[in-house]
Amino acid sequence: MNFKKFGVLTVAILLVVSLMAGCGGGSQDTGKATTGETEGTETVKIGFLGALTGDVAMYGQPTLEGMKMAVEEVNAAGGIDGKQLEIVEDDNRGDKQEGAAITQKLISRDKVVAIVGDPTTGITKVAAPICNRSQVVQISAGSTGSGVVELGEYIFRDTLLDSVAIPALIDYFTGDLGYKKVAVITSQNNDYSVGMTEVFKTAIEGKDIEIVADEKVNDGDKDFSGQITNIKAKNPDVIFYSGYYTEGALIMKEARKQGLDVNMFGGDGLYSPTLIELGGDAVEGSMVFLGFSPEQPTPETAAFIENFKLKYNDKTPGLFEAQGYDAVKILAEAMNRAGSTDPKVFRDEVAKTKEFKGVSGTITFQENREPIKSPVYLLEVKDGKYTLKQKVPVTVN
Amino acid sequence: MAEVLQSIANSMDPYMLQIFVNIGIAIILALGLNLITGVTGQLDLGHAAYMSVGAFTAAIITIRFNLPFSVNLLIAGTLAALVGLAIGFPILRLTGDYFAIATLGFAEILKVIFLNLDITNKALGLSVPPPNTSIPMPFYVWMVTILVIVGVTFIQNSRFGRALKAIREDEIAAETMGINSTRYKNQAFAIGCFLAGIGGGLYAHFIAYINPSDFAFMKSIDILNMVVLGGLGSIPGAILGAGVLTIAPEFLRFMSEYRMLVYGALLVFLMVFRPNGLLGGVDFRKMVFRIFGKREKKVLR
């Protein structure tokens, strides 16, 4: 009996050891191959962290396309100190464990000096401790949730933050538009939405506007009749929906069906042609806030849109393309200013980025590395198109 | 001791180390589920939910109280086991598909609860600080993994383990032999959930950020995949399954877009050619003894 147990144990331990040994061997092989490449070509490597397949590939793919365009431009202009920029791309499927593994791979195998990504807050938070520990600059092109840049002094992001945009917007809503009562809808299984609603609730404290209805929905829901009925009874001036465009369009359809004639506003989660395709007439008058406007673009944005269409078969770039592009440009500029490609050196220059004329907005990093993008562009759906309603300046506190 | 381990960990390739740790955690989870689904024969489609209980408990304990990591993990595991018992007590009376659907339902309920609790920070999730231990995480995870492998091996080869197998083969026959099947099933379920809780606690601290959506249905299926691929009821099988399925996506990385396609095809082929799993129906002890036995005979001649 004891003998048998011993047998099973030995096999189990042998298996574990052989597994470890097998992987170890493989690692050395690939490791060598990568080093060989680095020695052969003098490049500065930037890692792309994001999903190219799976549910969140719709954020990863465009970010990478924007990054590629930025790298081409930087290289055409002479690169960094004569060295060419290179993107190392790896797919994480939107999976946290894979995201962590890839971050390690990019840093320890590919020896990247900076990582752009992830477009989602969750994986950014998984990657941030690793980047910070390894002293590699990380710029997240997309994460808007709270508690990201707090994870370390090497962590940045170039997105328009809700905590920056919403207070500015509320002043505009209460002042110019005279809104007094707002109905809030949150998608409670969506961290982006829950985070934005929290920011909104903090921002309206002490302002001349009150929440009359606080409804919860879920991503993937199709029927919003209950929530809209409740909201209609409270007679609000405006609906604030912090989630994504699919549910946003359906909410407005239901509202119009029930004869609720107020408009909806929300963040960049509502900015997609799909909102208009799905919503049709119901989303006329709906408002979204962004860091840039495709309607009245700055010269930089206009050039970006034109070049992007040339490169990618007439495809119109969106927010993620622009943010990925800006992230690479911020890094390249910081490296050139610092005259170094050592992340420990050019990190300080990234932190000093001020009034950077990006294509996704004008970016300034604050002391705490959080970006300020001013002005905020409030777009309105008019005749089935996003049109610029108002440029709202941001006051930095 | 801790410094030596730390310096060893520092000298290793961090990417490989990351994958090793992922394998270790996967093994703990797979062995827990193997006890429920493989040995006792109860198809559990919500194993990730018990993992989430452990993950959030461990994370909150580290954030609020910063207890020593071993104590923390034990509490996380125990709480997961208690939740498992509370769920298992009513639903283990169900059998077959009905039980599977019930576990699925309760897993969704747990996820929605976590999405709405303030203490778990709702959908925003928790950033988890490093655990309170001087041993580097990779070694810690593997120490726990080896302990779990040893523990599960003893459980499976004990009277208790044989009773579970009897229930799997024929519950009515087992009952007539005097096995209290409800009690045994509950105990097996609790142990499986305990391991899920420990695995969750390790996961939370290793990945450093958790969110209720991480522990959705697909995570349960991933764990179930490992157990089925390895061979239901086989401990070496569960270990191999966890290892293979954790390494495969990384190993297949060179195929870029086709990676998950090949991964899926791999699963289909394995199930076609080894329907009982990689090591299903393979008795290692018999194999080892047969080899040794033959050798002895040769020596004698």
Side-chain angles (χ1 to χ4, degrees), chain A residues 56-73:
Chain A
V56 285
M58 60 202 178
Y59 310 127
Q61 289 274 16
T63 308
L64 183 61
E65 282 173 0
M67 284 173 68
K68 280 184 175 161
M69 212 176 100
V71 164
E72 265 178 30
E73 287 181 18

Side-chain angles (χ1 to χ4, degrees), chain B residues 40 46 50 58 61 71 73 123 125 133 142 163 180 193 197 228 236 244 248 270 283:
Chain B
T40 321
Y50 315 112
I61 289 175
V71 181
L73 277 184
T133 167
W142 272 92
N180 183 345
C193 294
V228 175
V244 167
L270 274 169
D283 192 326

Side-chain angles (χ1 to χ4, degrees), chain A residues 20 35 63 125 141 154 189 211 250 295 359:
Chain A
M20 291 176 88
T35 356
T63 308
K125 282 188 175 175
Y154 281 84
N189 62 350
I211 296 176
L250 297 175
E295 168 82 358
V359 298

Side-chain angles (χ1 to χ4, degrees), chain A residues 191-208:
Chain A
D191 50 356
Y192 165 82
S193 177
V194 172
M196 198 195 291
T197 300
E198 260 175 36
V199 170
F200 184 80
K201 285 182 177 168
T202 331
I204 65 160
E205 272 169 24
K207 295 280 165 64
D208 190 21

Side-chain angles (χ1 to χ4, degrees), chain A residues 106-153:
Chain A
L106 290 173
I107 294 171
S108 60
R109 288 275 177 83
D110 301 319
K111 313 273 183 223
V112 298
V113 296
I115 288 178
V116 176
D118 185 282
T120 63
T121 305
I123 297 176
T124 303
K125 282 188 175 175
V126 169
I130 302 171
C131 289
N132 202 53
R133 196 162 61 220
S134 322
Q135 296 180 307
V136 166
V137 173
Q138 182 189 9
I139 299 188
S140 167
S143 72
T144 53
S146 59
V148 170
V149 292
E150 286 88 335
L151 290 170
E153 56 176 354

Side-chain angles (χ1 to χ4, degrees), chain A residues 46-49 59-72 74 85 87 115-119 139-143 157-159 292 304 308 317-332 356 358-361 363 373:
Chain A
I46 295 179
F48 161 77
L49 177 67
Y59 310 127
Q61 289 274 16
T63 308
L64 183 61
E65 282 173 0
M67 284 173 68
K68 280 184 175 161
M69 212 176 100
V71 164
E72 265 178 30
V74 170
L85 272 186
I87 295 177
I115 288 178
V116 176
D118 185 282
I139 299 188
S140 167
S143 72
R157 53 177 161 182
D158 67 352
T159 34
F292 74 111
F304 168 72
F308 193 91
L319 184 63
F320 285 96
E321 286 92 340
Q323 284 172 170
Y325 177 90
D326 278 349
V328 172
K329 281 293 177 82
I330 290 173
L331 286 170
F356 172 82
V359 298
S360 70
I363 300 162
K373 278 176 154 179

Side-chain angles (χ1 to χ4, degrees), chain A residues 3-13, chain B residues 153 157 235-236 285:
Chain A
F3 211 56
K4 281 181 184 172
K5 278 180 187 167
F6 177 74
V8 174
L9 263 181
T10 330
V11 170
I13 289 166
Chain B
T153 310
N157 293 323
I235 290 175
R285 278 173 296 166

